[in-house]
Amino acid sequence: MSRSTHYFTGSRDGKRPSSGDALDKAKDHYDVVVVGSGLAGLTAANILGRAGHSVCVLEQHYNFGGMATWFKRRGGHVFDISLHGFPIGMKKTCRKYWGTSISDRIVQLEGVRFDNPQFQFNTTFTREDFTHKLVDVFGCASRTVEAFYETLRAMNYYDDDGRTTAELFEEFFPGRNDVHRLLMEPISYANGSTLEDPAITYGIVFSNFMSKGVYTFTGGTDLLIREMRAILARNGVDVFGRSQVDEITVEHGRVRGVRVGTREIRAETVVSNAGLKATIERLVAPDHFDDAWLDAAKQTKLNCSSTQVYMGLGPGEDLPWIADLFFTSTRPEFDSASLADLHGQSRTFSFYYPKVRPGTGRHTVVSSMNANWSDWADLSESDYAAAKARLEEDTLKALEVHVPDIRSKVTHLESSTPRSFAFYTQHTGGASFGTKFEGLRYSMELPQQIEGLYHSGSVGIIMSGWLGAANYGAITANKVDARIASLAADAAPSS
Amino acid sequence: MTHEEIVQAVKDIIHTIAPDEEIGGLNLTDPLRDQIELDSMDFLDIVMELRKRYGVQVPEDDYKELATLQGCADYLAPHLADHELVTNA
């Protein structure tokens, strides 16, 4: 077989040439084609495959998982992008839609710590502990705290009252910037939301996330995705990497399939797990939409992007116990927007101790900051390199406060920026957390615009993160399954 | 299926979705969510399983009819009259 000199997208780091036709084994027709292999796409594919439908997943990258991903570097380093940590609900979601081989590996993180000029403490990240902190450390009245929780718990996504999260906080904890920081900072890092987003998104996420601890997957993201691929194979789902969908084809207002280069694969139903904006602005030709709907949908705003710094410790190097997840800042006061500042003062550290990958004995540290696409997009190559070098240096300095000899332990140092996220995921603006709240509506309305076309993925803040994405995959699978059932009923001869 | 069998069918489905929940003592009239830990995703799974096992389509607007076991039986009775109970494997 001749080796193609064509390099697939995502090749800039490894330069692994693709050889042959990635879609060689693909059928010409499926009941469902899923575009993209994020947790929403994979979960939808698995549910539909398990239900007996013919399903295929097409992923542009050679790795699967979307933002639930990892990468390897020489010297035995494995870096996870988004493994720590998700809410308890992920365990149930994985058990239902994937099985116990995945859900049994989900374990609670043992340590979550905050360190900023306003407060420094460990938390179990449970409702009980947040109550304890708010009452005994911050001195809030316990009835106020309970009333706050009750207000959040009663929130439903369909009754947005227009209040912002900042207004909600002011109502219960007026002038308490320190309390606002405790309540907002972890969620901003988890889903990119800010104090200016609707209170409703905060309420729903808080009730799921900051109630029963933070969880991770033992074995690492690579094991998770490998196991998911094995389950998909057992359920008869075809998965193809290195397959860039160029177009979702539409005929007479109805989806016809997808086009990859010159090849069209037909399908009654297409689930786009590409970003919402990419789906409506890039994958479907604009004349298939109602003009007013498309104009409004295009106004959907995106959540921020991220920067990360990956620090791999050499074999045999140890790391003192600090926390699994460490929220740090040197800013005297909290303000939401500053979390995404270029060269800002706030970052989280995910410490991956050997327990994450039992048997390897290896430690890695991944630092994450929220970031704005506009700060990074237009830098010249030299300015970009300098900005990355500064990001890495700032991060090491921040970590040195807690691990003084960190520089001598780290044998691999690397960083990613909004440009890296845009390159690897093809997300518009390198968005790490999908769209703002309004995107949920357009994502859900897509099948009303084009029959048989569904969207699933991080949208609306409440459907983001590992749990939100996986659950949205299940919601979409239910809709697709209903459509296939009704198509079959229509096609059946009447008795 | 009789009303009793429909209640059994729904309980069987709940058992596959939430195996840790005790379903033996469920009463007919209180909302299921008040008796065991079921969230909105679980209701979606109940609907999907009803479609798979019995071919019954429950439109989203009607999900609220499934809040209690009695509600399930009343709502599903006309759809399931000609179906046999499918027992858990």
Side-chain angles (χ1 to χ4, degrees):
Chain A
M1 188 165 63
S2 69
R3 210 142 209 229
S4 162
T5 52
H6 166 77
Y7 291 94
F8 51 87
T9 308
S11 67
R12 268 190 219 170
D13 60 332
K15 290 285 181 196
R16 281 201 288 162
S18 61
S19 53
D21 175 8
L23 288 176
D24 198 24
K25 295 198 169 67
K27 292 183 263 188
D28 291 326
H29 175 270
Y30 289 89
D31 294 332
V32 186
V33 167
V34 178
V35 181
S37 70
L39 290 182
L42 292 181
T43 302
N46 195 47
I47 293 169
L48 292 165
R50 205 169 61 176
H53 308 305
S54 72
V55 182
C56 147
V57 178
L58 301 176
E59 165 60 47
Q60 49 93 12
H61 201 273
Y62 56 88
N63 261 352
F64 289 72
M67 285 286 282
T69 198
W70 73 98
F71 64 89
K72 295 181 176 178
R73 286 294 180 265
R74 188 168 298 167
H77 301 286
V78 187
F79 296 102
D80 297 283
I81 306 300
S82 57
L83 183 59
H84 288 355
F86 40 77
I88 176 88
M90 191 68 185
K91 203 171 169 83
K92 185 172 170 187
T93 286
C94 285
R95 182 177 50 66
K96 288 195 294 184
Y97 308 127
W98 291 99
T100 50
S101 66
I102 287 180
S103 61
D104 285 351
R105 287 185 163 271
I106 291 175
V107 296
Q108 189 170 1
L109 293 180
E110 293 161 288
V112 181
R113 182 167 175 77
F114 287 88
D115 186 314
N116 61 60
Q118 289 169 314
F119 51 90
Q120 307 83 37
F121 51 62
N122 293 314
T123 171
T124 56
F125 224 76
T126 56
R127 178 166 158 160
E128 294 70 34
D129 193 51
F130 284 118
T131 305
H132 159 67
K133 295 294 190 304
L134 289 168
V135 174
D136 301 328
V137 179
F138 293 90
C140 303
S142 61
R143 65 178 181 284
T144 307
V145 175
E146 287 305 318
F148 176 68
Y149 290 155
E150 269 318 299
T151 302
L152 298 179
R153 227 172 65 83
M155 286 178 165
N156 285 307
Y157 79 91
Y158 45 79
D159 45 34
D160 177 19
D161 61 4
R163 247 187 317 181
T164 65
T165 305
E167 287 163 354
L168 177 79
F169 287 174
E170 272 305 309
E171 187 183 323
F172 286 91
F173 308 105
R176 290 300 302 269
N177 184 267
D178 51 351
V179 172
H180 302 181
R181 179 177 233 160
L182 173 69
L183 295 172
M184 191 70 216
E185 215 176 53
I187 288 186
S188 293
Y189 286 121
N191 66 20
S193 65
T194 72
L195 288 168
E196 301 317 308
D197 284 311
I200 184 81
T201 62
Y202 181 83
I204 289 168
V205 173
F206 179 91
S207 299
N208 285 325
F209 186 48
M210 294 174 81
S211 69
K212 290 182 178 171
V214 192
Y215 292 75
T216 194
F217 182 84
T218 305
T221 320
D222 43 342
L223 180 66
L224 171 73
I225 299 298
R226 192 163 73 228
E227 181 60 19
M228 285 183 168
R229 288 188 66 168
I231 294 167
L232 287 164
R234 286 202 290 278
N235 286 323
V237 175
D238 286 348
V239 298
F240 301 102
R242 308 170 187 185
S243 298
Q244 176 79 52
V245 171
D246 296 304
E247 184 187 2
I248 293 169
T249 53
V250 177
E251 195 173 51
H252 307 307
R254 201 170 165 158
V255 81
R256 190 176 72 186
V258 299
R259 184 175 59 74
V260 179
T262 54
R263 171 133 186 230
E264 186 178 23
I265 296 176
R266 302 252 181 158
E268 268 73 46
T269 307
V270 171
V271 175
S272 176
N273 180 219
L276 177 66
K277 283 177 106 64
T279 303
I280 60 174
E281 294 173 11
R282 206 162 69 206
L283 289 172
V284 179
D287 51 321
H288 298 302
F289 295 107
D290 173 76
D291 289 343
W293 186 89
L294 185 60
D295 285 346
K298 280 182 171 176
Q299 302 304 311
T300 300
K301 292 182 293 299
L302 291 165
N303 283 309
C304 62
S305 184
S306 308
T307 61
Q308 289 191 315
V309 178
Y310 311 95
M311 291 157 277
L313 276 65
E317 290 291 352
D318 207 358
L319 196 63
W321 170 251
I322 295 170
D324 296 300
L325 205 50
F326 190 23
F327 298 98
T328 70
S329 180
T330 54
R331 282 185 74 87
E333 294 236 314
F334 175 69
D335 80 277
S336 204
S338 73
L339 289 183
D341 279 353
L342 180 65
H343 307 309
Q345 296 168 269
S346 308
R347 49 176 50 83
T348 69
F349 291 97
S350 292
F351 292 100
Y352 294 100
Y353 290 94
K355 63 181 177 175
V356 176
R357 284 190 175 74
T360 64
R362 297 296 289 265
H363 301 71
T364 62
V365 185
V366 178
S367 151
S368 304
M369 300 171 89
N370 288 355
N372 296 312
W373 171 249
S374 56
D375 287 333
W376 291 87
D378 301 322
L379 296 179
S380 69
E381 283 305 309
S382 60
D383 288 349
Y384 181 62
K388 282 184 68 156
R390 174 161 175 203
L391 169 66
E392 291 164 11
E393 180 57 28
D394 284 356
T395 303
L396 282 171
K397 273 196 187 125
L399 188 52
E400 260 174 339
V401 174
H402 309 282
V403 188
D405 55 349
I406 188 67
R407 285 177 203 263
S408 67
K409 293 171 183 285
V410 169
T411 56
H412 185 90
L413 180 70
E414 183 172 341
S415 56
S416 63
T417 73
R419 279 157 69 161
S420 325
F421 289 103
F423 176 73
Y424 286 104
T425 64
Q426 302 186 350
H427 289 168
T428 313
S432 307
F433 312 102
T435 76
K436 291 295 185 192
F437 187 54
E438 63 271 16
L440 183 58
R441 181 190 146 190
Y442 298 108
S443 171
M444 294 245 185
E445 285 178 0
L446 197 56
Q448 291 157 39
Q449 288 291 313
I450 293 165
E451 201 191 322
L453 176 59
Y454 296 79
H455 178 257
S456 196
S458 289
V459 286
I461 298 174
I462 61 174
M463 289 298 180
S464 82
W466 283 26
L467 177 61
N471 278 346
Y472 197 19
I475 290 168
T476 304
N478 178 49
K479 291 180 179 175
V480 170
D481 184 63
R483 170 178 154 80
I484 295 173
S486 70
L487 286 175
D490 290 348
S494 50
S495 52
Chain B
M1 269 191 269
T2 63
H3 266 54
E4 288 70 34
E5 286 172 322
I6 295 174
V7 167
Q8 191 57 48
V10 174
K11 280 184 175 178
D12 286 350
I13 289 173
I14 292 173
H15 180 66
T16 61
I17 290 163
D20 297 337
E21 297 297 329
E22 185 48 61
I23 56 167
L26 289 177
N27 69 52
L28 293 175
T29 48
D30 289 326
L32 287 163
R33 288 180 80 158
D34 293 349
Q35 301 183 65
I36 51 176
E37 281 213 27
L38 283 186
D39 57 29
S40 55
M41 291 302 296
D42 296 321
F43 276 88
L44 205 73
D45 297 321
I46 292 173
V47 167
M48 192 145 161
E49 204 58 31
L50 283 168
R51 192 186 304 122
K52 190 167 150 192
R53 294 187 185 192
Y54 301 107
V56 53
Q57 291 268 32
V58 183
E60 266 173 77
D61 291 347
D62 293 348
Y63 285 8
K64 58 185 180 301
E65 308 290 339
L66 306 180
T68 66
L69 282 175
Q70 188 63 51
C72 290
D74 293 343
Y75 178 82
L76 295 170
H79 302 281
L80 296 182
D82 300 334
H83 286 77
E84 297 285 318
L85 179 66
V86 178
T87 49
N88 281 351

